[in-house]
Amino acid sequence: MRAVQLADLEYVTRALLAVPAGARVALLDDMLDTAARGYAYHRITGYAHPQFGVGTLMSVATRLPLAPRPAALDREYLRCLAMIARRIGRVSS
C-alpha cells in the first residue's frame, strides 16, 4: 500500500460511515488488502489495476459508496478515524 495521506483518511472514514458499525472492521480490512494488491500491481506494471486501483486507500474508497462529508467531526467519525489509525499501525509495523 502506498503511504497514507490525509485525503486517504477522509475518504476511508466516509466509506466506513456509509456501512453499519458492525461491518466496518471487515470493510476496512478489505480496503487495506485491496490497496496492497493495487500497489503491488502498479509497482510492477506502472498502471492502475482495473479492480484494485493504484495502491492508495483513496483509490479504493472512491469506488465505494461514501457518507457525505460532515460539517464537523462527530463521535462516529472520530471512532472510524481511530479504527483506521489502529489498523494502519498494525499493517505498517
Side-chain angles (χ1 to χ4, degrees):
M1 178 175 72
R2 289 183 185 257
V4 178
Q5 305 293 317
L6 289 173
D8 294 304
L9 298 176
E10 178 191 350
Y11 277 82
V12 172
T13 300
R14 289 175 55 202
L16 295 177
L17 288 170
V19 299
R24 291 176 182 162
V25 170
L27 177 60
L28 178 55
D29 288 344
D30 184 57
M31 292 173 74
L32 292 168
D33 181 61
T34 300
R37 290 173 184 233
Y39 183 56
Y41 182 88
H42 185 263
R43 255 192 352 248
I44 293 167
T45 67
Y47 297 100
H49 188 280
Q51 182 181 354
F52 304 139
V54 295
T56 65
L57 285 170
M58 184 189 289
S59 73
V60 175
T62 56
R63 297 166 188 259
L64 301 170
L66 300 175
R69 176 185 262 174
L73 305 184
D74 62 16
R75 182 176 291 192
E76 279 306 300
Y77 189 100
L78 293 172
R79 282 183 179 151
C80 288
L81 196 55
M83 181 175 61
I84 296 163
R86 283 190 304 271
R87 284 286 202 260
I88 289 172
R90 287 184 198 146
V91 170
S92 9
S93 14

